[in-house]
Amino acid sequence: MNAEQILENAKTIAVVGLSRDPAKAAHGVPAVLQAHGFRIIPVHPSATELLGEKVYRSLKDIPEPVDLVDVFRPSPEAPGIARDAVEIGAKALWLQQGIVSAEARRIAEEGGLEYVENRCTAVVRATAAISKN
């Protein structure tokens, strides 16, 4: 499955590393996805609410199914996030632009997840005109 199909099939997106800072891509990209009808679930170590949604400390704390785990964290953190994504039964793992991890790819694919790295979900959404609204 290609990146466009993965995003088209997703409705609920857990965003690991969603930023409090509106100037950062890690805030703006999830906000754009949310504006286009995707359900965004923020994962952040200390915030309580971001983009009007309850924040969870880890993927494992999210009490509902997740289609896509969107990662805005440095590449060395990706394998651990991949393990958590497999554990919660996510359908896909997506590492944002500039984030690459051969180990995360191996963990995700061995766990049955679709995998994208070094691509921006907002760019793919815009280019493919994907909207849930």
Side-chain angles (χ1 to χ4, degrees):
M1 201 177 311
N2 66 28
E4 292 77 11
Q5 291 167 319
I6 291 167
L7 194 58
E8 181 67 51
N9 290 340
K11 174 69 177 142
T12 302
I13 303 175
V15 181
V16 180
L18 199 157
S19 176
R20 298 176 202 237
D21 183 349
K24 291 189 171 181
H27 182 95
V29 168
V32 164
L33 295 172
Q34 187 181 56
H36 284 276
F38 290 89
R39 165 124 166 77
I40 299 298
I41 301 174
V43 177
H44 187 280
S46 60
T48 55
E49 185 178 295
L50 291 168
L51 300 178
E53 296 286 343
K54 176 180 169 51
V55 175
Y56 295 91
R57 299 289 158 251
S58 77
L59 290 172
K60 294 187 248 184
D61 294 334
I62 298 171
E64 63 185 273
V66 170
D67 298 319
L68 174 64
V69 174
D70 194 8
V71 181
F72 284 91
R73 298 297 304 151
S75 297
E77 293 182 31
I81 296 167
R83 282 185 201 91
D84 288 351
V86 169
E87 189 174 322
I88 68 165
K91 296 181 179 117
L93 179 68
W94 188 305
L95 307 187
Q96 280 290 332
Q97 195 165 329
I99 307 169
V100 176
S101 172
E103 187 181 358
R105 175 185 291 273
R106 180 187 59 73
I107 292 164
E109 290 178 348
E110 285 178 3
L113 276 65
E114 296 291 338
Y115 183 84
V116 178
E117 67 181 11
N118 197 26
R119 299 274 311 264
C120 177
T121 46
V123 170
V124 170
R125 191 224 58 77
T127 305
I130 299 167
S131 184
K132 303 298 177 177
N133 291 337

